Amino acid sequence: MPEFNLTHHFLIAMPAMQEGVFAGTLTYICEHNENGALGIVVNRPISLTLGEMFDQVNIVLHQPEYARMPVHFGGPVQTERGFVLHDTPGNWESTLHINDKLSLTTSRDILEAMAKAGGRATLLLRWAMRAGIRASWSMR
């Protein structure tokens, strides 16, 4: 059987998948190799807003136009960690470079940069809250 790599591809849940955590989801695959795969669900909003999330992680959001944006469910794995899927520019503490246009960052420094007035805001964010909420959101 030929090898294939799903990195930088989307997985779409089949319509027949009516139950379970991945029912109705669109998942972006950030990494796929011999050790497994890492993906982010990008199409499932939850009741949390970006402003509420920044409050929960004790970061002041200086971008009021983003405060009411919805947060999205990111997936059921590693609920103790947060992940930011973003365009590649930037020098962050902990980043997986997916390709020359996208990266996945797990360090707080990218959140702090997002919160500042005039900071970069083209990204998808998935964050594991202290209460175990998995979330992701997009800012444009």
Side-chain angles (χ1 to χ4, degrees):
M1 183 165 139
E3 242 181 78
F4 63 95
N5 187 316
L6 295 174
T7 300
H8 192 55
H9 287 80
F10 286 96
L11 294 181
I12 302 170
M14 297 298 292
M17 181 185 279
Q18 298 291 318
E19 296 179 12
V21 71
F22 294 108
T25 60
L26 176 66
T27 303
Y28 176 73
I29 304 301
C30 302
E31 182 176 49
H32 181 216
N33 58 34
E34 65 279 353
N35 298 318
L38 171 65
I40 305 288
V41 174
V42 296
N43 70 327
R44 187 169 290 169
I46 62 173
S47 62
L48 190 67
T49 66
L50 188 61
E52 292 166 338
M53 185 167 151
F54 272 87
D55 286 345
Q56 288 184 19
V57 295
N58 298 315
I59 297 175
V60 177
L61 181 59
H62 297 284
Q63 304 271 4
E65 64 272 23
Y66 299 142
R68 297 186 62 178
M69 295 183 99
V71 173
H72 292 74
F73 172 80
V77 182
Q78 294 184 344
T79 58
E80 73 285 354
R81 299 184 74 182
F83 299 86
V84 180
L85 183 61
H86 58 92
D87 54 349
T88 296
N91 186 20
W92 315 110
E93 289 179 28
S94 180
T95 298
L96 166 68
H97 295 285
I98 299 165
N99 59 34
D100 62 341
K101 297 190 188 293
L102 285 174
S103 294
L104 184 70
T105 297
T106 61
S107 51
R108 182 180 173 97
D109 56 344
I110 194 167
L111 297 178
E112 292 166 345
M114 287 170 45
K116 292 180 182 175
R120 295 188 65 85
T122 303
L123 53 91
L124 280 167
L125 175 67
R126 173 179 172 237
W127 189 254
M129 306 304 290
R130 290 184 202 142
I133 298 170
R134 300 296 295 203
S136 69
W137 71 85
S138 79
M139 296 172 48
R140 297 178 195 206

